[in-house]
Amino acid sequence: MGTADAASKDVTVRLAERKPIVVFVLGGPGSGKGTQCANIVQHFGYTHLSAGDLLRAECNSGSENGTMIQNMMNEGKIVPSEVTIELLQKAMLESGNNKFLIDGFPRNEENRAAFEAVTKIEPEFVLFFNCPQEEMERRILNRNQGREDDNIETIRKRFKVFEESSLPVIEYYKARGKVREIDAAKSIEEVFDALKVIFTTTVGKVVTT
């Protein structure tokens, strides 16, 4: 166990030395985060990291860690923050980039506190895709991804989880002047126009302690 802890500490130190720019991307299901993250990657050279994708990839890898994550998910348990943070740190180091969009994380206050405590990194800012529930429902039901979880009851449960868990994170960063709120109900073009303003005027100008 000591070796794993030492390796984890080494990753943390190496990452902190690079002083990466981290932007948290939060918003309810169907708020358009994925579409806009792809635009930001293309135009501003960020690396897009989805916490959910990293966890799924680890599960599919067949590693011991992946099996543990899969078992927890099957039992409906929440994967410990440290596990997700370790995957994020590893992906950040391996990317070779220094600018990151972290999508769908932190999901709750415990995630947030653990991320800052473990990585010693504070986000440059938090992008909050604010979208009315009716609009998010409409989008999810209209998209043809064949996702079995895209039924109205499941969607509403996901909205509820987002509101209860993620809004406190947004409030925390709002109090620190770090939230950039987007009217995500607008068209894809209008939303990206607003994002372009944020990324050309904010990055590198937020004072971090």
Side-chain angles (χ1 to χ4, degrees), residues 130-189:
N130 197 357
C131 193
Q133 184 168 323
E134 302 73 34
E135 175 61 17
M136 291 193 282
E137 277 182 21
R138 187 187 66 75
R139 290 176 182 178
I140 294 172
L141 293 171
N142 282 348
R143 68 187 181 193
N144 269 333
Q145 295 183 348
R147 283 176 53 167
E148 61 204 38
D149 59 349
D150 282 356
N151 63 65
I152 199 73
E153 291 79 16
T154 310
I155 292 164
R156 286 181 178 159
K157 272 187 202 154
R158 285 162 66 202
F159 288 145
K160 193 166 165 42
V161 168
F162 173 74
E163 282 190 2
E164 289 174 355
S165 304
S166 299
L167 288 182
V169 176
I170 291 160
E171 290 306 318
Y172 173 88
Y173 285 118
K174 203 174 265 186
R176 281 153 185 73
K178 288 198 167 199
V179 172
R180 305 293 177 268
E181 193 167 318
I182 298 291
D183 180 354
K186 291 184 173 177
S187 70
I188 290 172
E189 294 75 20

Side-chain angles (χ1 to χ4, degrees), residues 7-205:
S8 176
K9 189 168 274 190
D10 180 47
V11 167
T12 301
V13 170
R14 281 160 61 206
L15 196 56
E17 281 171 354
R18 284 167 52 174
K19 295 187 166 51
I21 291 171
V22 169
V23 174
F24 288 147
V25 184
L26 298 175
S31 59
K33 300 193 310 303
T35 301
Q36 297 301 345
C37 281
N39 283 336
I40 295 164
V41 166
Q42 193 180 340
H43 287 79
F44 294 100
Y46 278 70
T47 293
H48 176 208
L49 298 176
S50 159
D53 287 352
L54 288 172
L55 287 167
R56 280 187 285 276
E58 189 68 18
C59 289
N60 294 335
S61 72
S63 71
E64 198 177 317
N65 203 25
T67 305
M68 180 268 289
I69 293 167
Q70 188 66 65
N71 289 339
M72 291 194 77
M73 286 174 158
N74 290 345
E75 290 167 25
K77 292 179 180 169
I78 292 172
V79 177
S81 297
E82 286 70 18
V83 172
T84 309
I85 292 163
E86 200 173 304
L87 292 175
L88 284 166
Q89 286 183 302
K90 189 163 165 273
M92 287 163 83
L93 269 182
E94 287 173 356
S95 75
N97 199 354
N98 211 34
K99 302 190 296 185
F100 302 95
L101 299 172
I102 296 185
D103 178 4
F105 187 92
R107 282 184 177 272
N108 53 41
E109 267 291 284
E110 195 266 330
N111 278 174
R112 178 203 64 72
F115 183 86
E116 291 192 8
V118 171
T119 66
K120 308 292 184 272
I121 297 167
E122 266 197 57
E124 187 87 350
F125 57 92
V126 177
L127 271 185
F128 172 35
F129 284 73
N130 197 357
C131 193
Q133 184 168 323
E134 302 73 34
E135 175 61 17
M136 291 193 282
E137 277 182 21
R138 187 187 66 75
R139 290 176 182 178
I140 294 172
L141 293 171
N142 282 348
R143 68 187 181 193
N144 269 333
Q145 295 183 348
R147 283 176 53 167
E148 61 204 38
D149 59 349
D150 282 356
N151 63 65
I152 199 73
E153 291 79 16
T154 310
I155 292 164
R156 286 181 178 159
K157 272 187 202 154
R158 285 162 66 202
F159 288 145
K160 193 166 165 42
V161 168
F162 173 74
E163 282 190 2
E164 289 174 355
S165 304
S166 299
L167 288 182
V169 176
I170 291 160
E171 290 306 318
Y172 173 88
Y173 285 118
K174 203 174 265 186
R176 281 153 185 73
K178 288 198 167 199
V179 172
R180 305 293 177 268
E181 193 167 318
I182 298 291
D183 180 354
K186 291 184 173 177
S187 70
I188 290 172
E189 294 75 20
E190 287 175 305
V191 171
F192 189 54
D193 282 344
L195 287 169
K196 280 193 279 198
V197 172
I198 289 170
F199 277 86
T200 50
T201 59
T202 307
V203 176
K205 296 182 177 66

